[in-house]
Amino acid sequence: MAALHEHHTEHTQVVAAPADVLHGLVADVTLWPALFGPCVHVRHLERSERAERFEMWATVNGSVSRWISRRTLDPDRLRVTFAQEVSRPPFASMGGEWLFRALPGGDTEVVLRHSFTPAEPGGETVERALAALDRNSTQELAALARLAELGHPVADLAFSFSDSIELPGAPVDAYAFIERADRWAERLPHVSQVRLAEPAEGIQELEMETVTADGAAHTTRSVRVCRSPAWIAYKQQVTPKLLLGHSGLWTFPEGSGGTQQLTSRHTVLLNPAAVTEVLGPGHGLADARDMVRAALGRNSATTMAYAAQHTARAHR
């Protein structure tokens, strides 16, 4: 059998932002589904001040892959190292590091390095691996630069919020209601059309047309990760003008004791360049934040209310 050789890649980009700000963005992996295009969902398994272990779902060469990674955070040396515990094809193993080098004038050189062995010997597998790394690394560096160079504190652009509703019936019925998004056009008043595909078990590609309170129609596309019966995560792949990124998570109660609540959580990145265009002159980020919170919260509240009604009928 041919030996599997380790390969190394390096991608760099100069960003007009301080090194510590960029390190902070990379260190906060909870923001990644809204920040980085390939990243769909992150779920922490272990976490401390300088180390963490998490599951990640991300698109690799057009399909969603899952792996578990360990990372070490070093804010003093402006470095983040990572290694996958069990890799998925086209990779047999994967590790690397982020480095942030301060440059004269306040710019930063961001360096993203990977070391990997291919899942199989042969040039085709190596080419697939290199293509995936090149595509995802380039997208991640560009997204990092775009956010850091907007000229606004990250805290003004990125925020999360949650809404919950008590379930009168079994959580498994609420899970089924959210998972069966292909039936939302007949079940939810703000959804007019739905197209749902399931390219792999637990992975959904969802395209739907929604109608806002003012009667305007919007088409959205999302990829979803479904883990019955506990949660459904999603990443919006086409966002409205006011958002640079949007990810969400539906969580369902486990067990039958205590208050049974369905929760919807959103994480978003505002697009400051679109505020005036969308909201009109004289409006700022605070107005955009309020609008996004109200609009997303309203749709989630509607969906949860109908899910609760569904569980009540199933319970009867």
Side-chain angles (χ1 to χ4, degrees):
M1 180 176 177
L4 298 177
H5 298 288
E6 188 172 64
H7 297 260
H8 305 273
T9 67
E10 180 173 296
H11 294 80
T12 65
Q13 183 155 341
V14 175
V15 182
D20 59 338
V21 170
L22 293 162
H23 178 273
L25 286 171
V26 171
D28 184 6
V29 75
T30 64
L31 188 61
W32 281 24
L35 173 60
F36 292 143
C39 186
V40 177
H41 182 58
V42 174
R43 176 175 172 266
H44 270 101
L45 304 173
E46 302 171 22
R47 197 176 188 184
S48 64
E49 184 179 357
R50 296 290 181 102
E52 59 187 353
R53 179 172 175 260
F54 53 80
E55 288 182 282
M56 177 178 285
W57 288 260
T59 54
V60 178
N61 285 337
S63 61
V64 176
S65 293
R66 168 196 168 272
W67 61 84
I68 296 177
S69 287
R70 291 185 178 273
R71 296 205 313 172
T72 301
L73 312 177
D74 190 345
D76 299 324
R77 298 173 59 194
L78 296 174
R79 185 183 185 203
V80 176
T81 59
F82 57 89
Q84 295 179 0
E85 289 187 356
V86 179
S87 299
R88 296 296 180 91
F91 305 101
S93 66
M94 167 69 73
E97 62 181 352
W98 292 83
L99 298 173
F100 305 87
R101 298 168 174 163
L103 301 176
D107 291 352
T108 301
E109 182 186 34
V110 183
V111 181
L112 176 54
R113 293 172 175 161
H114 290 90
S115 300
F116 72 93
T117 53
E120 299 175 351
E124 183 178 346
T125 302
V126 173
E127 288 178 7
R128 287 176 55 221
L130 290 172
L133 283 177
D134 187 59
R135 182 182 304 108
N136 285 15
S137 298
T138 301
Q139 290 181 13
E140 290 169 2
L141 287 169
L144 189 66
R146 178 179 62 175
L147 179 59
E149 293 178 347
L150 287 174
H152 297 271
V154 174
D156 290 348
L157 303 177
F159 65 99
S160 300
F161 62 91
S162 299
D163 295 296
S164 299
I165 189 172
E166 188 169 348
L167 295 174
V172 66
D173 293 320
Y175 179 93
F177 185 93
I178 302 300
E179 183 194 32
R180 289 297 306 274
D182 57 321
R183 299 187 63 184
W184 281 3
E186 62 190 72
R187 289 177 165 179
L188 297 175
H190 64 284
V191 178
S192 58
Q193 294 184 42
V194 174
R195 286 175 290 277
L196 182 71
E198 296 182 287
E201 184 178 358
I203 303 299
Q204 296 181 340
E205 296 172 352
L206 174 64
E207 181 174 318
M208 64 180 181
E209 186 173 284
T210 60
V211 181
T212 60
D214 60 3
H218 297 276
T219 299
T220 61
R221 287 201 300 270
S222 303
V223 58
R224 307 205 307 176
V225 179
C226 303
R227 288 297 177 267
S228 175
W231 53 266
I232 296 175
Y234 60 91
K235 162 68 169 281
Q236 193 169 349
Q237 295 176 307
V238 177
T239 57
K241 289 182 179 180
L242 207 52
L243 296 180
L244 292 174
H246 173 211
S247 65
L249 179 67
W250 302 94
T251 54
F252 305 84
E254 299 182 31
S256 57
T259 302
Q260 304 289 293
Q261 285 193 325
L262 166 62
T263 298
S264 169
R265 179 174 176 82
H266 298 269
T267 298
V268 300
L269 284 176
L270 297 176
N271 180 8
V275 172
T276 300
E277 178 184 355
V278 175
L279 301 183
H283 292 278
L285 287 174
D287 302 306
R289 186 187 187 105
D290 291 342
M291 179 182 177
V292 168
R293 173 67 175 91
L296 294 179
R298 181 169 53 248
N299 284 353
S300 293
T302 299
T303 302
M304 290 192 294
Y306 277 82
Q309 292 176 19
H310 177 77
T311 66
R313 288 192 298 269
H315 180 67
R316 290 196 298 264

Short mmCIF file of all heavy atoms in Angstrom, two decimals, residues 43-91:
data_model
loop_
_atom_site.label_atom_id
_atom_site.label_comp_id
_atom_site.label_asym_id
_atom_site.label_seq_id
_atom_site.Cartn_x
_atom_site.Cartn_y
_atom_site.Cartn_z
N ARG A 43 -20.68 23.14 18.11
CA ARG A 43 -21.24 22.70 19.40
C ARG A 43 -20.08 22.35 20.34
O ARG A 43 -19.33 21.41 20.08
CB ARG A 43 -22.14 21.48 19.20
CG ARG A 43 -22.71 20.87 20.47
CD ARG A 43 -23.69 19.75 20.15
NE ARG A 43 -24.09 19.05 21.35
CZ ARG A 43 -23.52 17.93 21.79
NH1 ARG A 43 -22.50 17.40 21.11
NH2 ARG A 43 -23.94 17.35 22.90
N HIS A 44 -19.93 23.12 21.41
CA HIS A 44 -18.84 22.88 22.34
C HIS A 44 -19.06 21.59 23.14
O HIS A 44 -20.17 21.31 23.61
CB HIS A 44 -18.69 24.06 23.31
CG HIS A 44 -17.75 25.11 22.81
ND1 HIS A 44 -18.18 26.29 22.22
CD2 HIS A 44 -16.39 25.15 22.78
CE1 HIS A 44 -17.13 27.01 21.88
NE2 HIS A 44 -16.04 26.35 22.19
N LEU A 45 -17.97 20.85 23.34
CA LEU A 45 -17.96 19.66 24.18
C LEU A 45 -17.18 19.90 25.46
O LEU A 45 -17.54 19.40 26.52
CB LEU A 45 -17.35 18.48 23.41
CG LEU A 45 -18.02 18.14 22.07
CD1 LEU A 45 -17.23 17.07 21.33
CD2 LEU A 45 -19.46 17.70 22.30
N GLU A 46 -16.10 20.66 25.37
CA GLU A 46 -15.29 21.07 26.52
C GLU A 46 -14.82 22.49 26.26
O GLU A 46 -14.57 22.87 25.11
CB GLU A 46 -14.08 20.14 26.72
CG GLU A 46 -14.41 18.68 26.91
CD GLU A 46 -13.16 17.81 26.89
OE1 GLU A 46 -12.06 18.35 27.13
OE2 GLU A 46 -13.29 16.60 26.61
N ARG A 47 -14.65 23.26 27.32
CA ARG A 47 -14.25 24.65 27.12
C ARG A 47 -13.61 25.22 28.38
O ARG A 47 -14.13 25.07 29.48
CB ARG A 47 -15.47 25.49 26.75
CG ARG A 47 -15.16 26.84 26.13
CD ARG A 47 -16.45 27.51 25.72
NE ARG A 47 -16.22 28.73 24.96
CZ ARG A 47 -17.17 29.54 24.54
NH1 ARG A 47 -18.44 29.27 24.82
NH2 ARG A 47 -16.87 30.62 23.85
N SER A 48 -12.44 25.85 28.21
CA SER A 48 -11.78 26.58 29.28
C SER A 48 -11.23 27.87 28.70
O SER A 48 -11.45 28.17 27.52
CB SER A 48 -10.65 25.75 29.91
OG SER A 48 -9.62 25.50 28.97
N GLU A 49 -10.51 28.64 29.49
CA GLU A 49 -10.03 29.94 29.02
C GLU A 49 -9.07 29.81 27.85
O GLU A 49 -9.09 30.64 26.93
CB GLU A 49 -9.36 30.69 30.17
CG GLU A 49 -8.91 32.09 29.80
CD GLU A 49 -8.27 32.83 30.95
OE1 GLU A 49 -8.23 32.27 32.07
OE2 GLU A 49 -7.80 33.98 30.75
N ARG A 50 -8.23 28.77 27.86
CA ARG A 50 -7.19 28.65 26.83
C ARG A 50 -7.31 27.40 25.95
O ARG A 50 -6.48 27.21 25.06
CB ARG A 50 -5.80 28.66 27.50
CG ARG A 50 -5.45 29.98 28.22
CD ARG A 50 -5.22 31.09 27.23
NE ARG A 50 -4.86 32.35 27.86
CZ ARG A 50 -3.61 32.83 27.93
NH1 ARG A 50 -2.62 32.13 27.42
NH2 ARG A 50 -3.38 33.99 28.51
N ALA A 51 -8.32 26.58 26.18
CA ALA A 51 -8.45 25.35 25.39
C ALA A 51 -9.92 25.01 25.22
O ALA A 51 -10.76 25.37 26.05
CB ALA A 51 -7.71 24.20 26.06
N GLU A 52 -10.22 24.32 24.13
CA GLU A 52 -11.60 23.93 23.87
C GLU A 52 -11.64 22.72 22.96
O GLU A 52 -10.68 22.43 22.23
CB GLU A 52 -12.39 25.08 23.25
CG GLU A 52 -11.81 25.59 21.94
CD GLU A 52 -12.51 26.85 21.44
OE1 GLU A 52 -13.52 27.26 22.03
OE2 GLU A 52 -12.04 27.41 20.42
N ARG A 53 -12.77 22.05 23.01
CA ARG A 53 -13.03 20.89 22.16
C ARG A 53 -14.47 21.02 21.68
O ARG A 53 -15.37 21.26 22.48
CB ARG A 53 -12.84 19.60 22.95
CG ARG A 53 -13.10 18.31 22.20
CD ARG A 53 -12.68 17.12 23.06
NE ARG A 53 -13.03 15.84 22.42
CZ ARG A 53 -14.10 15.12 22.76
NH1 ARG A 53 -14.91 15.54 23.74
NH2 ARG A 53 -14.36 13.98 22.15
N PHE A 54 -14.67 20.89 20.36
CA PHE A 54 -16.01 21.12 19.83
C PHE A 54 -16.26 20.28 18.59
O PHE A 54 -15.33 19.84 17.91
CB PHE A 54 -16.23 22.60 19.50
CG PHE A 54 -15.18 23.21 18.61
CD1 PHE A 54 -15.20 23.02 17.23
CD2 PHE A 54 -14.16 23.99 19.16
CE1 PHE A 54 -14.23 23.59 16.42
CE2 PHE A 54 -13.19 24.56 18.35
CZ PHE A 54 -13.22 24.36 16.97
N GLU A 55 -17.56 20.05 18.32
CA GLU A 55 -18.00 19.49 17.06
C GLU A 55 -18.23 20.63 16.08
O GLU A 55 -18.73 21.69 16.46
CB GLU A 55 -19.32 18.73 17.22
CG GLU A 55 -19.25 17.43 17.95
CD GLU A 55 -20.61 16.76 18.01
OE1 GLU A 55 -21.43 17.20 18.84
OE2 GLU A 55 -20.86 15.83 17.22
N MET A 56 -17.89 20.40 14.83
CA MET A 56 -18.14 21.40 13.80
C MET A 56 -18.73 20.73 12.57
O MET A 56 -18.31 19.63 12.19
CB MET A 56 -16.87 22.15 13.42
CG MET A 56 -17.07 23.17 12.29
SD MET A 56 -15.58 24.10 11.88
CE MET A 56 -15.48 25.23 13.27
N TRP A 57 -19.71 21.41 11.99
CA TRP A 57 -20.27 21.01 10.70
C TRP A 57 -19.94 22.11 9.71
O TRP A 57 -20.20 23.29 9.98
CB TRP A 57 -21.77 20.81 10.79
CG TRP A 57 -22.20 19.59 11.54
CD1 TRP A 57 -22.61 18.40 11.01
CD2 TRP A 57 -22.30 19.44 12.97
NE1 TRP A 57 -22.94 17.51 12.01
CE2 TRP A 57 -22.76 18.13 13.22
CE3 TRP A 57 -22.03 20.29 14.05
CZ2 TRP A 57 -22.97 17.65 14.51
CZ3 TRP A 57 -22.23 19.82 15.33
CH2 TRP A 57 -22.69 18.50 15.55
N ALA A 58 -19.38 21.76 8.57
CA ALA A 58 -19.01 22.76 7.57
C ALA A 58 -19.08 22.14 6.18
O ALA A 58 -18.98 20.91 6.03
CB ALA A 58 -17.60 23.30 7.83
N THR A 59 -19.26 22.97 5.17
CA THR A 59 -19.28 22.49 3.79
C THR A 59 -17.85 22.28 3.31
O THR A 59 -16.99 23.14 3.46
CB THR A 59 -20.01 23.48 2.87
OG1 THR A 59 -19.42 24.78 3.01
CG2 THR A 59 -21.48 23.56 3.22
N VAL A 60 -17.62 21.11 2.74
CA VAL A 60 -16.32 20.75 2.17
C VAL A 60 -16.59 20.18 0.78
O VAL A 60 -17.26 19.15 0.63
CB VAL A 60 -15.58 19.71 3.03
CG1 VAL A 60 -14.25 19.33 2.38
CG2 VAL A 60 -15.35 20.25 4.45
N ASN A 61 -16.10 20.88 -0.25
CA ASN A 61 -16.32 20.47 -1.64
C ASN A 61 -17.81 20.23 -1.93
O ASN A 61 -18.19 19.25 -2.58
CB ASN A 61 -15.50 19.21 -1.96
CG ASN A 61 -14.03 19.51 -2.14
OD1 ASN A 61 -13.64 20.63 -2.46
ND2 ASN A 61 -13.19 18.51 -1.92
N GLY A 62 -18.66 21.11 -1.41
CA GLY A 62 -20.07 21.07 -1.77
C GLY A 62 -20.97 20.25 -0.89
O GLY A 62 -22.20 20.29 -1.05
N SER A 63 -20.44 19.49 0.05
CA SER A 63 -21.27 18.69 0.96
C SER A 63 -20.88 19.02 2.40
O SER A 63 -19.79 19.52 2.68
CB SER A 63 -21.11 17.20 0.68
OG SER A 63 -19.78 16.79 0.87
N VAL A 64 -21.79 18.71 3.34
CA VAL A 64 -21.56 19.04 4.74
C VAL A 64 -20.81 17.89 5.42
O VAL A 64 -21.24 16.73 5.37
CB VAL A 64 -22.89 19.30 5.46
CG1 VAL A 64 -22.65 19.55 6.96
CG2 VAL A 64 -23.60 20.50 4.84
N SER A 65 -19.70 18.24 6.06
CA SER A 65 -18.91 17.27 6.83
C SER A 65 -18.93 17.64 8.30
O SER A 65 -19.09 18.81 8.67
CB SER A 65 -17.46 17.23 6.33
OG SER A 65 -17.37 16.71 5.02
N ARG A 66 -18.74 16.65 9.14
CA ARG A 66 -18.68 16.85 10.60
C ARG A 66 -17.36 16.31 11.12
O ARG A 66 -16.88 15.26 10.68
CB ARG A 66 -19.84 16.12 11.28
CG ARG A 66 -19.70 16.03 12.80
CD ARG A 66 -20.64 14.98 13.38
NE ARG A 66 -20.33 14.69 14.78
CZ ARG A 66 -19.46 13.79 15.20
NH1 ARG A 66 -18.77 13.07 14.32
NH2 ARG A 66 -19.26 13.60 16.49
N TRP A 67 -16.77 17.04 12.08
CA TRP A 67 -15.59 16.54 12.76
C TRP A 67 -15.52 17.14 14.16
O TRP A 67 -16.26 18.07 14.50
CB TRP A 67 -14.32 16.85 11.97
CG TRP A 67 -14.05 18.31 11.74
CD1 TRP A 67 -13.43 19.17 12.59
CD2 TRP A 67 -14.40 19.07 10.58
NE1 TRP A 67 -13.36 20.43 12.03
CE2 TRP A 67 -13.94 20.40 10.81
CE3 TRP A 67 -15.03 18.77 9.38
CZ2 TRP A 67 -14.12 21.41 9.87
CZ3 TRP A 67 -15.21 19.77 8.45
CH2 TRP A 67 -14.74 21.07 8.70
N ILE A 68 -14.64 16.60 14.95
CA ILE A 68 -14.37 17.11 16.30
C ILE A 68 -12.96 17.66 16.32
O ILE A 68 -12.02 17.01 15.87
CB ILE A 68 -14.53 16.01 17.37
CG1 ILE A 68 -15.98 15.54 17.42
CG2 ILE A 68 -14.10 16.53 18.74
CD1 ILE A 68 -16.23 14.40 18.41
N SER A 69 -12.83 18.89 16.82
CA SER A 69 -11.52 19.56 16.87
C SER A 69 -11.16 19.96 18.28
O SER A 69 -12.04 20.22 19.12
CB SER A 69 -11.52 20.81 15.99
OG SER A 69 -11.50 20.49 14.62
N ARG A 70 -9.88 19.99 18.54
CA ARG A 70 -9.32 20.59 19.75
C ARG A 70 -8.54 21.83 19.36
O ARG A 70 -7.83 21.82 18.36
CB ARG A 70 -8.40 19.61 20.49
CG ARG A 70 -9.13 18.42 21.12
CD ARG A 70 -8.17 17.56 21.92
NE ARG A 70 -8.84 16.46 22.58
CZ ARG A 70 -9.40 16.52 23.77
NH1 ARG A 70 -9.36 17.67 24.47
NH2 ARG A 70 -9.99 15.47 24.30
N ARG A 71 -8.66 22.88 20.17
CA ARG A 71 -7.92 24.12 19.88
C ARG A 71 -7.26 24.62 21.15
O ARG A 71 -7.77 24.46 22.26
CB ARG A 71 -8.86 25.21 19.36
CG ARG A 71 -9.51 24.91 18.05
CD ARG A 71 -9.90 26.18 17.30
NE ARG A 71 -10.61 27.16 18.12
CZ ARG A 71 -10.91 28.39 17.73
NH1 ARG A 71 -10.55 28.81 16.53
NH2 ARG A 71 -11.58 29.21 18.51
N THR A 72 -6.11 25.24 20.95
CA THR A 72 -5.40 25.95 22.02
C THR A 72 -5.34 27.42 21.65
O THR A 72 -4.89 27.77 20.55
CB THR A 72 -3.98 25.40 22.22
OG1 THR A 72 -4.06 24.00 22.53
CG2 THR A 72 -3.28 26.13 23.35
N LEU A 73 -5.79 28.28 22.56
CA LEU A 73 -5.83 29.73 22.32
C LEU A 73 -4.67 30.39 23.05
O LEU A 73 -4.47 30.17 24.25
CB LEU A 73 -7.16 30.30 22.81
CG LEU A 73 -8.43 29.54 22.37
CD1 LEU A 73 -9.67 30.17 23.00
CD2 LEU A 73 -8.53 29.50 20.86
N ASP A 74 -3.91 31.20 22.35
CA ASP A 74 -2.75 31.88 22.94
C ASP A 74 -2.83 33.37 22.58
O ASP A 74 -2.21 33.82 21.62
CB ASP A 74 -1.46 31.27 22.40
CG ASP A 74 -0.22 31.77 23.14
OD1 ASP A 74 -0.34 32.79 23.86
OD2 ASP A 74 0.85 31.16 22.99
N PRO A 75 -3.60 34.15 23.36
CA PRO A 75 -3.73 35.58 23.04
C PRO A 75 -2.43 36.36 23.24
O PRO A 75 -2.26 37.41 22.62
CB PRO A 75 -4.82 36.05 24.00
CG PRO A 75 -4.80 35.07 25.12
CD PRO A 75 -4.41 33.76 24.52
N ASP A 76 -1.53 35.87 24.08
CA ASP A 76 -0.26 36.57 24.30
C ASP A 76 0.63 36.51 23.05
O ASP A 76 1.26 37.50 22.68
CB ASP A 76 0.48 35.96 25.50
CG ASP A 76 -0.32 36.08 26.79
OD1 ASP A 76 -1.00 37.11 26.97
OD2 ASP A 76 -0.28 35.14 27.59
N ARG A 77 0.65 35.36 22.41
CA ARG A 77 1.46 35.20 21.20
C ARG A 77 0.62 35.37 19.93
O ARG A 77 1.14 35.17 18.83
CB ARG A 77 2.12 33.82 21.20
CG ARG A 77 3.09 33.60 22.36
CD ARG A 77 3.58 32.18 22.40
NE ARG A 77 4.28 31.80 21.17
CZ ARG A 77 4.57 30.54 20.84
NH1 ARG A 77 4.19 29.54 21.63
NH2 ARG A 77 5.20 30.28 19.72
N LEU A 78 -0.65 35.73 20.10
CA LEU A 78 -1.56 35.93 18.97
C LEU A 78 -1.55 34.71 18.05
O LEU A 78 -1.29 34.79 16.85
CB LEU A 78 -1.19 37.20 18.20
CG LEU A 78 -1.32 38.50 19.00
CD1 LEU A 78 -0.78 39.67 18.20
CD2 LEU A 78 -2.77 38.75 19.39
N ARG A 79 -1.92 33.57 18.65
CA ARG A 79 -1.86 32.31 17.93
C ARG A 79 -3.01 31.41 18.36
O ARG A 79 -3.41 31.40 19.53
CB ARG A 79 -0.52 31.62 18.23
CG ARG A 79 -0.25 30.35 17.46
CD ARG A 79 1.06 29.74 17.92
NE ARG A 79 1.44 28.58 17.13
CZ ARG A 79 2.27 27.63 17.57
NH1 ARG A 79 2.82 27.73 18.78
NH2 ARG A 79 2.57 26.59 16.79
N VAL A 80 -3.56 30.67 17.42
CA VAL A 80 -4.58 29.65 17.69
C VAL A 80 -4.15 28.39 16.95
O VAL A 80 -3.98 28.40 15.73
CB VAL A 80 -5.98 30.09 17.21
CG1 VAL A 80 -7.00 28.96 17.44
CG2 VAL A 80 -6.44 31.35 17.92
N THR A 81 -3.96 27.29 17.68
CA THR A 81 -3.61 26.02 17.05
C THR A 81 -4.81 25.08 17.12
O THR A 81 -5.62 25.14 18.05
CB THR A 81 -2.40 25.37 17.74
OG1 THR A 81 -2.69 25.16 19.12
CG2 THR A 81 -1.18 26.27 17.63
N PHE A 82 -4.91 24.18 16.15
CA PHE A 82 -6.05 23.27 16.10
C PHE A 82 -5.65 21.93 15.53
O PHE A 82 -4.66 21.80 14.79
CB PHE A 82 -7.18 23.87 15.26
CG PHE A 82 -6.81 24.21 13.85
CD1 PHE A 82 -6.92 23.28 12.82
CD2 PHE A 82 -6.32 25.49 13.53
CE1 PHE A 82 -6.57 23.61 11.52
CE2 PHE A 82 -5.98 25.82 12.23
CZ PHE A 82 -6.10 24.87 11.21
N ALA A 83 -6.42 20.90 15.89
CA ALA A 83 -6.22 19.56 15.36
C ALA A 83 -7.54 18.82 15.41
O ALA A 83 -8.26 18.88 16.41
CB ALA A 83 -5.16 18.80 16.16
N GLN A 84 -7.86 18.13 14.33
CA GLN A 84 -9.07 17.32 14.29
C GLN A 84 -8.79 15.97 14.95
O GLN A 84 -7.77 15.35 14.70
CB GLN A 84 -9.53 17.11 12.85
CG GLN A 84 -9.98 18.37 12.16
CD GLN A 84 -10.41 18.13 10.72
OE1 GLN A 84 -10.37 17.00 10.23
NE2 GLN A 84 -10.79 19.19 10.02
N GLU A 85 -9.72 15.53 15.80
CA GLU A 85 -9.56 14.23 16.46
C GLU A 85 -9.75 13.09 15.47
O GLU A 85 -8.96 12.15 15.42
CB GLU A 85 -10.55 14.10 17.61
CG GLU A 85 -10.25 14.99 18.80
CD GLU A 85 -11.15 14.70 19.98
OE1 GLU A 85 -12.07 13.87 19.85
OE2 GLU A 85 -10.94 15.31 21.04
N VAL A 86 -10.85 13.14 14.74
CA VAL A 86 -11.13 12.16 13.69
C VAL A 86 -11.55 12.94 12.46
O VAL A 86 -12.55 13.66 12.48
CB VAL A 86 -12.25 11.19 14.11
CG1 VAL A 86 -12.53 10.20 12.97
CG2 VAL A 86 -11.87 10.43 15.38
N SER A 87 -10.80 12.81 11.40
CA SER A 87 -11.07 13.57 10.19
C SER A 87 -11.96 12.77 9.25
O SER A 87 -12.11 11.56 9.36
CB SER A 87 -9.77 13.94 9.48
OG SER A 87 -8.95 14.74 10.32
N ARG A 88 -12.56 13.49 8.29
CA ARG A 88 -13.42 12.88 7.27
C ARG A 88 -12.78 13.05 5.90
O ARG A 88 -12.04 14.02 5.68
CB ARG A 88 -14.80 13.56 7.29
CG ARG A 88 -15.56 13.36 8.59
CD ARG A 88 -15.89 11.89 8.81
NE ARG A 88 -16.62 11.67 10.05
CZ ARG A 88 -17.94 11.68 10.15
NH1 ARG A 88 -18.68 11.94 9.09
NH2 ARG A 88 -18.51 11.44 11.31
N PRO A 89 -13.05 12.12 5.00
CA PRO A 89 -12.50 12.24 3.64
C PRO A 89 -12.85 13.60 3.03
O PRO A 89 -13.92 14.13 3.31
CB PRO A 89 -13.20 11.09 2.88
CG PRO A 89 -13.52 10.09 3.95
CD PRO A 89 -13.85 10.92 5.16
N PRO A 90 -11.92 14.19 2.28
CA PRO A 90 -10.70 13.60 1.72
C PRO A 90 -9.49 13.62 2.66
O PRO A 90 -8.37 13.41 2.21
CB PRO A 90 -10.44 14.48 0.50
CG PRO A 90 -10.95 15.83 0.92
CD PRO A 90 -12.16 15.56 1.76
N PHE A 91 -9.71 13.88 3.97
CA PHE A 91 -8.60 13.98 4.91
C PHE A 91 -8.55 12.75 5.83
O PHE A 91 -9.58 12.29 6.31
CB PHE A 91 -8.73 15.23 5.77
CG PHE A 91 -8.85 16.51 4.98
CD1 PHE A 91 -10.08 17.12 4.79
CD2 PHE A 91 -7.74 17.07 4.40
CE1 PHE A 91 -10.20 18.28 4.06
CE2 PHE A 91 -7.84 18.24 3.64
CZ PHE A 91 -9.08 18.85 3.47
#
